[in-house]
Amino acid sequence: MKYVVTAGPTREHIDPVRFLSNPSTGKMGFAVARAAAELGRDVVLVAGPVALRTPKGVRRIDVTSAREMLAVVERELDGDDVFIATAAVADWRPAECAAKKLKKREMDGTLKLVRNPDILKSVRCRHKIGFAAETNDVMVEAARKCREKGLDMIVANDVTERGAGFGADTNRVAFLRKDGSVERLPMMSKLAVARRIVRFAEGLA
Ligand code: PMT
């Protein structure tokens, strides 16, 4: 059984020096990759732009945009694999990316956006685990995403909570499984959360 894990943000460029993105550091995803590698699993980590060292025993592939991330995931993922999506993928990208830095006079204050592909929803494999980064209605939104993306489990985190979500070394999450069961975990290190996620994945038939 192989694990494919996405981590970090994506960058959606407006021109070579400007982009849309978010504050993901990759810590959560790198911890998941490390936890799976600790069990001796074959792990591919598809990482957006982050400043982290690759965990031991993990094969890392760096990408920038959501479309690049999708292409690598599709290439790496086989039907029998486990896919764990921790990446904060930009849902939208600029309709056009200028080849050269735009001059201020060339910008009129509006930016046309188009939808990015939903990586987690579109890929087909044996087991899929996602995350839900929420600021409100955390459990309702997480349950909806779990259902709509066809997941075995979604890991919900309230990214407004201190010590949780983006950038922190800790996280406080709830596991929502497809059988409807819910498990609320206390605040713990991201590595401890990751080990719990991998333990769940290992238990899937
Ligand atoms: O990287 P850190 O600084 O450690 O921060 C960790 C984290 C906050 C990024 C992480 O805990 C987390 O919540 N990751 C999910 C971020 C997110 O984009 O959530 P979402 O609710 O918007 O997306 C739902 C799921 O669909 C996620 O598994 C996401 O990876 C996936 N998705 C979303 C959009 C898209 N176009 N493609 C996707 O695959």
Side-chain angles (χ1 to χ4, degrees), residues 24-28 85-89 91 117-120 130-134 145 149 157 159 165-167 171 190:
S24 174
T25 58
K27 286 179 184 176
M28 191 65 250
T86 78
V89 183
D91 288 309
D118 188 319
I119 301 168
L120 181 56
F131 270 69
E134 307 297 341
K145 289 175 184 175
K149 299 184 191 227
N157 49 188
V159 293
F166 296 111
N171 208 354
K190 283 185 172 168

Side-chain angles (χ1 to χ4, degrees), residues 7 25-27 29-31 33-34 45 47 50-58 60 62:
T25 58
K27 286 179 184 176
F30 277 55
R34 175 177 162 184
L45 175 60
V50 297
L52 295 177
R53 293 166 79 129
T54 310
K56 206 167 151 228
V58 168
R60 170 175 170 180
D62 288 326

Side-chain angles (χ1 to χ4, degrees), residues 91-95 112-116:
D91 288 309
W92 299 84
R93 68 177 184 275
K112 189 170 184 303
L113 301 177
V114 294
R115 286 299 295 264
N116 264 333

Side-chain angles (χ1 to χ4, degrees), residues 15 18 100-110:
D15 68 17
R18 302 181 179 95
K100 292 189 179 150
K101 183 181 173 188
L102 291 164
K103 307 286 180 225
K104 270 186 244 127
R105 62 176 178 277
E106 293 172 328
M107 303 168 87
D108 67 0
T110 59

